[in-house]
Amino acid sequence: MVMSGEKPGPRTAAVGDAAAPPSSGAPMSLRERKKQLTYQAVSDAAIALFLERGFDQVSVAEIAAAADISKPTLFRYFPAKEDLALHRFADHEDESARVVAGRAEGESPLDALRRHYLDGLERRDPVTGLCDVPQVLAFHRLLYGTPSLVARLFAYQSRAEAALARALGDRATDRLAAGQIIAVLRILSLENWQRISEGRSADQVYADAVEAAEQGFIQLRSGLEG
């Protein structure tokens, strides 16, 4: 397990590079850009319907009609109805892995992840839960209030855990570390969202969110680097 400042060996670095999105390397082709725009447009149409009427009250046929595509085409882009709502998380599946793989020379994985998470809090990144933009709050209420979406979200987080484990070296100890790290990030973000959902603003929660994050990484460091 690589928890100090040294970089993984060549095999691990290659895996980390492969996990990065296309935008991190060569520019996207026109075909890829059009595909990404279609993904976004269909997902946006679905989320608008979900927010208006509720996830379970909207059919796939209605989503396809709203997006002006056929059902078979929709399923080529999104294998499950839940994926339409969770598309916004897709770019974040390997985010922790990319942070670890792209960290500065001499910076430990935990230091890189801590820096990245604290920066997300400062930017009010919705992924950290510290965002009180009305549309984001409505989306989070939809997500956490729909059991099938919560269950599907765990599948996304499992893939995030696997990607991080590969970036750390993919040994048994790395997989254990990745599980702990992803769990801490998930709990921190969920607690931030819960505070805001109770009526507090992101600015009011910020100091507590930073303190909780610092404590979370202290506990990780004592367990993983001790």
Side-chain angles (χ1 to χ4, degrees):
M1 176 174 60
V2 182
M3 282 290 132
S4 60
E6 72 269 17
K7 290 275 192 174
R11 173 181 170 276
T12 304
V15 173
D17 293 341
S23 59
S24 65
M28 276 191 191
S29 66
L30 178 60
R31 180 179 180 182
E32 281 297 318
R33 286 199 298 273
K34 287 183 176 178
K35 187 176 180 181
Q36 289 300 318
L37 288 172
T38 301
Y39 268 109
Q40 192 64 52
V42 176
S43 176
D44 287 348
I47 290 172
L49 289 172
F50 296 153
L51 290 175
E52 179 184 351
R53 291 163 48 195
F55 180 81
D56 294 325
Q57 282 65 52
V58 178
S59 70
V60 172
E62 289 174 301
I63 296 167
D68 198 25
I69 59 175
S70 67
K71 279 180 64 176
T73 298
L74 185 149
F75 281 122
R76 282 202 296 272
Y77 283 95
F78 298 95
K81 181 181 173 184
E82 289 79 8
D83 293 327
L84 286 156
L86 292 172
H87 174 66
R88 294 178 180 182
F89 286 88
D91 289 341
H92 297 281
E93 276 190 21
D94 65 347
E95 185 171 331
S96 293
R98 285 185 276 118
V99 169
V100 168
R103 70 190 188 278
E105 192 68 35
E107 185 178 35
S108 75
L110 278 182
D111 284 341
L113 290 166
R114 170 187 170 276
R115 171 179 50 77
H116 181 76
Y117 190 79
L118 292 176
D119 178 66
L121 291 177
E122 187 173 355
R123 291 184 289 105
R124 307 300 191 261
D125 188 336
V127 173
T128 68
L130 191 69
C131 183
D132 54 11
V133 174
Q135 298 94 322
V136 173
L137 287 175
F139 176 74
H140 281 162
R141 282 194 293 270
L142 170 73
L143 170 61
Y144 294 119
T146 308
S148 61
L149 291 178
V150 173
R152 193 72 171 184
L153 181 59
F154 276 105
Y156 277 70
Q157 291 169 336
S158 293
R159 291 194 289 271
E161 183 181 313
L164 178 57
R166 290 193 296 271
L168 293 172
D170 213 19
R171 291 157 293 192
T173 51
D174 300 316
R175 291 189 286 275
L176 289 169
Q180 293 174 66
I181 291 167
I182 295 299
V184 166
L185 295 177
R186 175 181 61 80
I187 292 168
L188 288 172
S189 299
L190 182 58
E191 289 193 353
N192 291 337
W193 173 78
Q194 287 174 332
R195 291 189 184 103
I196 289 177
S197 70
E198 292 167 357
R200 299 173 66 187
S201 70
D203 289 345
Q204 290 172 329
V205 175
Y206 177 70
D208 288 341
V210 170
E211 182 179 358
E214 294 286 20
Q215 288 300 317
F217 277 94
I218 287 172
Q219 289 184 29
L220 282 171
R221 184 169 286 107
S222 65
L224 298 176
E225 293 182 349

